[in-house]
Amino acid sequence: MDKNPGRVAWITLASAFFVFCFVITAVPLSIRHHMLHAEEKHEAVVESLVGTVIVEPPVGRGSFPLESGESMQVPEGSVVRVDETSEAVITFFEHSFARLFPGTTVRLERMRSPRYRVSKLPNTVYVKLSGGHVHVGTTLSSQSPLDFRVLTLHADVFLSPDGSYALEGTNNRSGITVYARGGARVEAAGDSVELEPRQRTEVALGQPPGTPVDAARNLVVNGDFSAGFEGWRLFNDQGNDGGKVDGTFSLVVDEGRRAVGLLRDGGLGNHCETILEQTIDRTIPEPVSSLVVRATVKVRYQSLSGGGYLSSEYPLMIRITYRDSYDSETEWVKGFYYQNVQNNPTAFGLRIPQDRWYFFQSENLLESLPIRPYRILRLRVYAAGWDYESLISDINLIVE
């Protein structure tokens, strides 16, 4: 350095220049990178609509019960548990929401927005559905795009803005429905499908998503009896008048239709019910616009006129037991008959031609019943009265 001070000075000057250039370049670039990629974490509001909801914030904070009408703010990583007697709604920072129906558990994985307006990052909301039934409504934001995902045990579901969706999850299967607005991409097992409005798909454990189908669903399993009596319980109820002759069940083909025959002969004027019963025990999904019963039926013979003395004994009947919006258990009943020579009351009956197949479709039960159904418990198809011979080819409970 003593021998060549000029060289040292130039090296020092050049180094200072390079450091200066790096600083004036790197600092603005770092600031720009920060402004484009910085995110802000948000909280969601959990409110109990019915019953007690359990909120479990991130590890170490304990759990909190929310009584009906109570609410609280929760951060990322929180778990919300809704038991079989409760409901809750979660409102996110960008005004999307998730309604949790009984028996549902979710974890709020991610709730973030870009920190600065110059950023092109989306608002992100990731929800993990561990099980149950949830209805999601996404918003259309003018500030930032929306990345809303629901992660089930079997699939990743990407929801479009301004949409309405229903998602159901069990240990073996997930169901995704797009209602009147929106769209969704469902990814599983290395494959994906796109859902348009009024479409749904199901994803089985370890399988790719199924082909999209119409959003309308049949709540009855094996309603066409293609698997015999699988899913049905068969029994007779003799009532209290001392009868001992049971009715019989048979799988038949009648005029090219697979059907179940219900027959009782030799009843000697005492009561019997020959019953096929299926437990459904499913909450009607929301949003929903219609609930309709469809069946193809035939009545060949009835010894008791009309619906009997109390309009309760028809040669073929359909009975749906459900809980209404006030959590009261009640029933919808429809009976079929072809003769009423004794002018018995037929308040719940429908007269159809004798020994001819008849296609029945009910009115929209959501509109016709005095109190809206909330959860379908059971379905019965049965014959009642003295002697009877009836057939049913298919029975469907369609929700859309």
Side-chain angles (χ1 to χ4, degrees), residues 95-133:
H95 305 300
S96 294
F97 71 90
R99 182 176 177 184
L100 279 56
F101 291 88
T104 300
T105 299
V106 300
R107 186 176 190 271
L108 307 182
E109 298 283 349
R110 185 181 179 92
M111 299 179 291
R112 300 187 184 185
S113 69
R115 184 179 295 273
Y116 303 102
R117 305 190 87 178
V118 296
S119 174
K120 298 195 181 298
L121 290 177
N123 292 324
T124 57
V125 179
Y126 297 170
V127 178
K128 183 176 182 180
L129 175 62
S130 300
H133 171 209

Side-chain angles (χ1 to χ4, degrees), residues 23-43:
V23 170
I24 65 173
T25 303
V27 170
L29 288 176
S30 298
I31 294 174
R32 182 177 183 275
H33 183 273
H34 173 74
M35 295 183 69
L36 291 177
H37 296 89
E39 291 183 313
E40 184 177 0
K41 293 183 180 181
H42 292 276
E43 294 184 331

Side-chain angles (χ1 to χ4, degrees), residues 269 303-313 340 342-346 386:
S303 62
L304 184 61
S305 291
Y309 306 119
L310 300 175
S311 188
S312 61
E313 298 175 277
N340 189 17
Q342 296 183 356
N343 292 319
N344 284 328
T346 56
W386 298 341

Side-chain angles (χ1 to χ4, degrees), residues 261-332:
L262 306 175
L263 173 66
R264 189 190 192 219
D265 189 23
L268 303 176
N270 54 55
H271 174 81
C272 180
E273 296 179 2
T274 303
I275 302 167
L276 294 95
E277 183 177 84
Q278 183 170 131
T279 299
I280 296 178
D281 198 23
R282 292 182 64 179
T283 300
I284 297 174
E286 292 286 351
V288 63
S289 59
S290 69
L291 179 67
V292 174
V293 179
R294 295 175 186 160
T296 306
V297 300
K298 178 186 282 193
V299 177
R300 281 193 174 144
Y301 177 72
Q302 61 178 117
S303 62
L304 184 61
S305 291
Y309 306 119
L310 300 175
S311 188
S312 61
E313 298 175 277
Y314 295 91
L316 186 62
M317 301 178 68
I318 300 171
R319 182 183 298 266
I320 297 172
T321 304
Y322 63 92
R323 288 195 176 278
D324 61 27
S325 54
Y326 294 103
D327 203 32
S328 297
E329 184 172 313
T330 188
E331 296 178 325
W332 173 89

Side-chain angles (χ1 to χ4, degrees), residues 62 92 160-161 166 184 187 218 346 365:
F92 300 99
S160 297
E187 296 182 354
N218 184 10
T346 56
L365 301 185

Side-chain angles (χ1 to χ4, degrees), residues 19 41 47 57 160 171 179 192 197 251-252 335 337 376:
V19 170
K41 293 183 180 181
E47 180 182 0
S160 297
N171 289 334
Y179 287 105
S192 67
L251 293 169
V252 301
Y337 68 101
I376 306 298

Side-chain angles (χ1 to χ4, degrees), residues 52-364:
T52 302
V53 174
I54 301 300
V55 177
E56 300 174 3
V59 177
R61 303 189 186 181
S63 59
F64 297 90
L66 291 180
E67 301 296 333
S68 180
E70 294 182 341
S71 64
M72 68 178 293
Q73 292 186 316
V74 298
E76 286 183 358
S78 299
V79 175
V80 182
R81 301 184 186 277
V82 176
D83 66 20
E84 296 295 338
T85 62
S86 306
E87 290 185 36
V89 63
I90 303 172
T91 304
F92 300 99
F93 66 94
E94 38 68 74
H95 305 300
S96 294
F97 71 90
R99 182 176 177 184
L100 279 56
F101 291 88
T104 300
T105 299
V106 300
R107 186 176 190 271
L108 307 182
E109 298 283 349
R110 185 181 179 92
M111 299 179 291
R112 300 187 184 185
S113 69
R115 184 179 295 273
Y116 303 102
R117 305 190 87 178
V118 296
S119 174
K120 298 195 181 298
L121 290 177
N123 292 324
T124 57
V125 179
Y126 297 170
V127 178
K128 183 176 182 180
L129 175 62
S130 300
H133 171 209
V134 60
H135 169 222
V136 175
T138 57
T139 59
L140 184 61
S141 173
S142 59
Q143 298 292 332
S144 300
L146 177 64
D147 178 12
F148 198 116
R149 305 183 192 182
V150 178
L151 316 174
T152 75
L153 297 179
H154 318 103
D156 293 346
V157 186
F158 300 77
L159 305 181
S160 297
D162 192 29
S164 181
Y165 310 91
L167 299 101
E168 299 173 274
T170 65
N171 289 334
N172 300 317
R173 186 176 299 272
S174 296
I176 303 96
T177 302
V178 179
Y179 287 105
R181 301 189 316 277
R185 185 174 80 254
V186 183
E187 296 182 354
D191 201 356
S192 67
V193 299
E194 299 284 342
L195 295 181
E196 297 180 356
R198 303 181 70 84
Q199 287 188 332
R200 72 183 307 270
T201 187
E202 290 193 348
V203 185
L205 178 64
Q207 300 297 316
T211 302
V213 297
D214 189 84
R217 281 176 285 173
N218 184 10
L219 300 183
V220 181
V221 176
N222 190 30
D224 61 357
F225 306 103
S226 58
F229 293 120
E230 183 178 337
W232 296 93
R233 186 167 73 98
L234 283 60
F235 61 100
N236 281 269
D237 184 351
Q238 291 287 349
N240 299 313
D241 60 357
K244 298 183 182 300
V245 178
D246 284 341
T248 61
F249 308 87
S250 60
L251 293 169
V252 301
V253 176
D254 183 87
E255 297 181 358
R257 289 182 175 274
R258 180 189 295 112
V260 172
L262 306 175
L263 173 66
R264 189 190 192 219
D265 189 23
L268 303 176
N270 54 55
H271 174 81
C272 180
E273 296 179 2
T274 303
I275 302 167
L276 294 95
E277 183 177 84
Q278 183 170 131
T279 299
I280 296 178
D281 198 23
R282 292 182 64 179
T283 300
I284 297 174
E286 292 286 351
V288 63
S289 59
S290 69
L291 179 67
V292 174
V293 179
R294 295 175 186 160
T296 306
V297 300
K298 178 186 282 193
V299 177
R300 281 193 174 144
Y301 177 72
Q302 61 178 117
S303 62
L304 184 61
S305 291
Y309 306 119
L310 300 175
S311 188
S312 61
E313 298 175 277
Y314 295 91
L316 186 62
M317 301 178 68
I318 300 171
R319 182 183 298 266
I320 297 172
T321 304
Y322 63 92
R323 288 195 176 278
D324 61 27
S325 54
Y326 294 103
D327 203 32
S328 297
E329 184 172 313
T330 188
E331 296 178 325
W332 173 89
V333 180
K334 180 63 68 175
F336 303 93
Y337 68 101
Y338 67 84
Q339 63 89 0
N340 189 17
V341 294
Q342 296 183 356
N343 292 319
N344 284 328
T346 56
F348 307 108
L350 175 65
R351 191 166 191 160
I352 63 175
Q354 182 182 8
D355 201 22
R356 285 173 52 188
W357 283 111
Y358 180 86
F359 176 74
F360 169 75
Q361 178 168 310
S362 74
E363 66 278 13
N364 183 355

